[in-house]
Amino acid sequence: MRELKAAGKNAWAAGQTEERMKDYKKEIEQLLDQVGEQKPDPVAEILERINGSKYVCVFGLGTISHPIVAAIRNFTTLQIDFVCDNDPAKWGTYYHQNLKCLSPDELAGFGNDVAVLIATQSYREIHEQLKKRGLNNIHVMTEYRLLNQAYLQRPENLEVIRRNAVRMVDLLSDEQSRRILLVLISNWFLFSIEGAGYRGIFSRDQYYPSDIIQLRPDEVFVDAGAYNGDTLLEFVDRSGKEFKSIFAFELDRNNFTDLERACGQLDPALRNKIALYNCGLWDEQTEISYKSGEAGSESSCMNVIGSPGESGRAVRLSDITGDAEVSFIKMDIEGSELKALLGAEEVIRNQKPKLAVCVYHRPEHLWEIPSYLKSLVPEYRIFLRHHTNLEYETVCYAVP
């Protein structure tokens, strides 16, 4: 009798899950129907409204302001007149080559003659602050939507997104992942300051969510996109310094110098277990071009591989690690994740490591990367987590 009751309960739970999955599919389809009926494109409409303003100001001078300003300059006809920040130390100083930083009081003096583009994760707080000062022409123009506007506004791509997003609902292993999928796609098209944004799906512990990733004492960790050593050092700390070895890859020469310096400060016993590679990961051994950042800064938040500038060596992960028993792979490599995963096929198929792979650099990576990982290891459980209040840092987790 107990077995029958348990079976009945499990069948009921499975039915509830299946019904909720149908709801997500329906919501995605309804969302994209709504988008398909919108004229003009929301981003184009915002840009047109901003272009009609006498002045344009970017508010915020933190890390994310740099790629946003670059995207505005590279992908729109907008002319930015000045910037603004709440930090008094920045007032009167010039940023982004030629833009003077005003105080909020100075900015308020322009009234409705100025269009303000918020470039900070605290967009709701800044929006409220500016509204109280009498400013009304306020927008959040994210880098993601500017870089991917051409892809997202093509009618034929709406059907591609619809088909693959519906498939993803079945592929994902928990409710939270499916909700994140829906919110991400919604924000591609309907992002607003007053709307849900990303706060409802934001979670901390990037690369180490406790409900998905558990570290073991003998981890062999691959850090692809090791930057200045920040994620590598976090891994060392989270592992309690109990790990077998680390393979760290960083293409940008400036960042690699910082990475070497950071590792050089570790205890020699730990440093000797870390192999550093000044190269990128790809699906073949080749030379690739990339846009370099200044020392101590990320090259860019998105899509830098293939950009004119520096050149460097790229390798296949499977060729480097050889017979090493890789147990955990983290990737954040500016849109090259799928190419790198193709070059890691043997490692993934044979060793089934845990994976934490960024999927926010290109829209299609949101479904292409999870689908590819599942094709290599059908028993992988696939999860999505989102780790900022803006479009950055969506990570696909795959665990056996």
Side-chain angles (χ1 to χ4, degrees):
M1 182 62 71
R2 288 180 179 174
E3 288 78 2
L4 288 174
K5 287 183 178 180
K9 183 177 181 181
N10 290 338
W12 178 86
Q16 291 292 103
T17 300
E18 183 177 350
E19 198 62 34
R20 189 67 187 102
M21 289 167 69
K22 288 180 182 178
D23 289 344
Y24 278 111
K25 293 176 184 179
K26 184 177 180 180
E27 289 183 63
I28 289 170
E29 291 174 337
Q30 290 175 339
L31 164 69
L32 295 176
D33 285 342
Q34 178 185 350
V35 170
E37 294 169 359
Q38 283 186 321
K39 302 293 181 185
D41 169 68
V43 173
E45 186 177 22
I46 291 173
L47 292 175
E48 185 177 346
R49 284 159 53 194
I50 296 171
N51 261 324
S53 301
K54 188 173 181 179
Y55 302 102
V56 176
C57 174
V58 170
F59 195 107
L61 288 169
T63 302
I64 67 170
S65 73
H66 297 278
I68 291 174
V69 169
I72 291 170
R73 286 172 165 171
N74 292 333
F75 296 96
T76 78
T77 59
L78 293 181
Q79 296 297 315
I80 304 171
D81 297 291
F82 38 79
V83 294
C84 183
D85 197 272
N86 281 324
D87 183 357
K90 296 175 180 177
W91 300 345
T93 304
Y94 285 81
Y95 294 87
H96 305 295
Q97 287 86 53
N98 61 345
L99 301 177
K100 184 179 180 180
C101 180
L102 306 184
S103 71
D105 285 340
E106 290 175 302
L107 177 63
F110 287 90
N112 290 327
D113 285 337
V114 64
V116 183
L117 306 183
I118 300 175
T120 167
Q121 291 188 53
S122 303
Y123 54 88
R124 284 190 183 174
E125 292 82 355
I126 300 302
H127 178 256
E128 185 66 23
Q129 171 190 345
L130 297 179
K131 291 285 284 185
K132 288 180 178 179
R133 290 178 177 269
L135 298 172
N136 297 297
N137 195 359
I138 309 168
H139 310 274
V140 175
M141 183 56 67
T142 65
E143 181 194 9
Y144 190 95
R145 298 179 79 195
L146 290 171
L147 289 176
N148 295 291
Q149 183 186 8
Y151 178 90
L152 295 174
Q153 70 182 0
R154 292 192 195 107
E156 62 270 25
N157 286 340
L158 285 181
E159 182 54 37
V160 174
I161 295 169
R162 178 197 304 269
R163 182 172 64 253
N164 287 286
V166 167
R167 289 175 180 170
M168 274 288 288
V169 172
D170 292 323
L171 190 65
L172 295 170
S173 294
D174 70 348
E175 173 89 2
Q176 186 175 351
S177 298
R178 290 185 279 271
R179 186 165 63 88
I180 288 171
L181 172 69
L182 175 63
V183 172
L184 291 174
I185 294 175
S186 176
N187 281 322
W188 288 354
F189 302 99
L190 305 175
F191 180 86
S192 69
I193 297 174
E194 297 84 1
Y198 297 90
R199 297 191 180 210
I201 60 172
F202 165 74
S203 61
R204 302 189 184 278
D205 293 331
Q206 183 171 352
Y207 307 127
Y208 306 97
S210 59
D211 57 333
I212 301 173
I213 299 295
Q214 285 81 44
L215 298 180
R216 64 192 205 198
D218 59 344
E219 295 282 2
V220 176
F221 179 53
V222 172
D223 189 353
Y227 182 36
N228 61 7
D230 54 352
T231 52
L232 184 153
L233 295 178
E234 183 178 5
F235 170 79
V236 171
D237 182 60
R238 285 180 176 269
S239 70
K241 301 181 180 179
E242 296 292 330
F243 61 91
K244 190 172 182 180
S245 60
I246 296 175
F247 296 85
F249 299 85
E250 174 55 46
L251 175 64
D252 188 295
R253 292 187 184 89
N254 292 324
N255 292 340
F256 187 77
T257 298
D258 290 340
L259 173 63
E260 287 185 307
R261 185 180 299 114
C263 290
Q265 296 175 5
L266 292 171
D267 183 276
L270 295 175
R271 177 63 185 86
N272 290 338
K273 295 194 290 183
I274 302 172
L276 304 180
Y277 299 87
N278 185 197
C279 57
L281 293 180
W282 206 247
D283 61 348
E284 62 177 342
Q285 183 169 318
T286 187
E287 290 288 315
I288 56 177
S289 60
Y290 66 95
K291 183 179 179 181
S292 178
E294 298 177 356
S297 67
E298 292 184 85
S299 301
S300 172
C301 285
M302 299 181 183
N303 302 328
V304 298
I305 301 300
S307 301
E310 304 290 335
S311 63
R313 184 168 65 102
V315 297
R316 297 178 73 253
L317 179 63
S318 295
D319 293 341
I320 299 297
T321 59
D323 296 329
E325 296 179 1
V326 175
S327 61
F328 185 20
I329 299 174
K330 163 258 169 179
M331 283 188 181
D332 184 0
I333 45 179
E334 313 306 335
S336 299
E337 287 82 3
L338 190 54
K339 284 283 190 180
L341 290 169
L342 290 168
E345 178 179 349
E346 297 89 340
V347 171
I348 297 171
R349 279 191 188 276
N350 298 330
Q351 301 182 34
K352 302 177 177 58
K354 301 182 289 288
L355 290 116
V357 183
C358 287
V359 292
Y360 67 93
H361 295 105
R362 303 177 189 273
E364 59 270 31
H365 280 185
L366 187 59
W367 55 83
E368 288 180 349
I369 286 174
S371 298
Y372 178 66
L373 294 176
K374 191 75 170 178
S375 74
L376 294 183
V377 183
E379 60 265 40
Y380 267 151
R381 291 174 293 133
I382 304 294
F383 301 87
L384 288 179
R385 294 293 184 266
H386 187 79
H387 300 289
T388 66
N389 287 329
L390 281 177
E391 70 266 42
Y392 313 111
E393 314 304 341
T394 305
V395 180
C396 169
Y397 297 91
V399 292

